[in-house]
């Protein structure tokens, strides 16, 4: 079975400072991993995905994530936070019990202060 | 623009009523999914479909039903058997195959009167 643990339920950062959202996963196989962002009362938008091509994955809006197999981690970072980054972020792993199914983390709420 | 349209955005249900949430996509995706989102939790899979006229139960299918008569449409019915239906419901679609990301609609918020 697979699981996803987002280590922080809330993160508060100042505008212009780095953002780090932590995610650990477990999976029986080489997983596909995703980060999604959700703004209030909206659907989820894909930020980036890892599918074994490269361990450092660049996404939209300046975000990137690094896959570390030895640490079973897939942390999301951004060098400089913007006010528009305030949202909820989900780390997601592909499930092994059936094609196409995803396992979502509980989410990390990001607050950006001026 | 291609995308997923969910309607209505807000929906209210009386006790004992069935309600149907609409999901339409024009992305030409074969696979479609319904999720339920509760505060402080990730998304939980209700039903999914990989092809027209076929669908499978997800992790929390009890009290819900779906149909897939057209490739573009995947409506979800919340029946009176669902004892705690108040939630945010999200529809998604994807291409077939491993590693395909899912694309999401903007959701329907269902509340009980």
């Amino acid at each position: 079975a697979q699981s996803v643990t987002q280590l922080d339920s809330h993160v508060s950062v100042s505008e212009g400072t780095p953002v780090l959202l932590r995610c650990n996963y477990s999976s029986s196989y080489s997983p596909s991993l995703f980060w999604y962002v959700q703004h209030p009362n909206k659907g989820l938008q894909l930020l980036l995905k890892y599918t074994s091509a490269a361990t450092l994955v660049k996404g939209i809006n300046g975000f990137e994530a690094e896959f570390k197999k030895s640490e079973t981690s897939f942390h999301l970072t951004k060098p400089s936070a913007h006010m528009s980054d305030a949202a909820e972020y989900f780390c997601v792993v592909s499930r092994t019990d059936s094609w196409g199914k995803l396992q979502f983390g509980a989410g990390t709420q990001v607050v950006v202060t001026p | 623009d291609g995308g997923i349209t969910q309607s209505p955005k807000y929906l209210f249900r009386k006790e004992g009523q069935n309600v149907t949430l609409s999901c339409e996509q024009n992305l030409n995706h074969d696979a479609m999914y319904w999720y339920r989102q509760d505060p402080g939790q990730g998304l939980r899979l209700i039903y999914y479909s990989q092809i027209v006229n076929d669908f499978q139960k997800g992790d929390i299918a009890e009290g819900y039903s779906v149909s897939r008569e057209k490739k573009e449409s995947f409506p979800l019915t919340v029946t009176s058997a669902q004892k705690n239906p108040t939630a945010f419901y999200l529809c998604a679609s994807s291409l077939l195959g491993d590693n395909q990301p899912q694309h999401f609609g903007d959701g329907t918020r269902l509340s009980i009167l």
Side-chain angles (χ1 to χ4, degrees):
Chain A
Q2 59 293 306
S3 65
V4 180
T5 302
Q6 293 185 241
L7 299 172
D8 304 290
S9 60
H10 290 82
V11 168
S12 182
V13 298
S14 298
E15 190 176 19
T17 64
V19 181
L20 170 64
L21 305 183
R22 299 181 295 165
C23 173
N24 287 350
Y25 71 91
S26 68
S27 179
S28 304
Y29 303 96
S30 295
S32 293
L33 292 157
F34 309 84
W35 275 99
Y36 283 86
V37 61
Q38 184 181 33
H39 289 90
N41 295 311
K42 292 289 188 180
L44 278 68
Q45 179 185 17
L46 180 69
L47 283 176
L48 49 82
K49 70 174 184 178
Y50 166 78
T51 56
S52 78
T55 56
L56 184 62
V57 183
K58 294 190 181 299
I60 62 171
N61 301 336
F63 285 94
E64 64 181 33
E66 186 172 8
F67 174 74
K68 292 187 176 180
K69 186 175 181 179
S70 60
E71 299 176 10
T72 61
S73 69
F74 190 56
H75 301 337
L76 181 71
T77 60
K78 182 173 180 178
S80 177
H82 191 272
M83 295 299 290
S84 61
D85 294 328
E88 189 154 26
Y89 293 78
F90 292 95
C91 182
V92 183
V93 64
S94 54
R95 288 170 59 160
T96 56
D97 58 328
S98 179
W99 166 92
K101 292 167 72 174
L102 301 177
Q103 186 70 39
F104 287 78
T108 297
Q109 187 70 45
V110 172
V111 173
V112 182
T113 56
Chain B
D1 286 340
I4 299 178
T5 301
Q6 291 188 241
S7 62
K9 191 167 181 64
Y10 298 95
L11 187 58
F12 299 92
R13 193 192 93 169
K14 293 181 179 179
E15 295 283 351
Q17 277 185 337
N18 294 352
V19 290
T20 298
L21 284 59
S22 170
C23 178
E24 303 278 334
Q25 54 100 359
N26 60 4
L27 298 168
N28 200 31
H29 287 168
D30 287 295
M32 296 188 75
Y33 313 82
W34 273 107
Y35 293 92
R36 171 182 172 134
Q37 186 177 23
D38 295 284
Q41 301 186 35
L43 277 64
R44 292 182 290 168
L45 183 64
I46 303 172
Y47 269 97
Y48 64 106
S49 168
Q50 300 174 6
I51 194 170
V52 173
N53 293 322
D54 189 40
F55 47 83
Q56 289 79 40
K57 293 182 178 180
D59 302 314
I60 56 165
E62 185 175 352
Y64 300 98
S65 66
V66 293
S67 63
R68 186 87 186 276
E69 298 177 0
K70 298 186 300 182
K71 184 176 182 178
E72 301 79 17
S73 178
F74 191 40
L76 173 74
T77 297
V78 184
T79 75
S80 57
Q82 171 49 240
K83 297 307 178 188
N84 186 22
T86 297
F88 191 49
Y89 291 88
L90 287 160
C91 179
S93 70
S94 73
L95 295 169
L96 291 176
D98 288 339
N99 312 323
Q100 296 296 334
Q102 294 180 13
H103 299 257
F104 286 82
D106 280 344
T108 293
R109 188 168 298 280
L110 175 62
S111 302
I112 300 302
L113 294 178

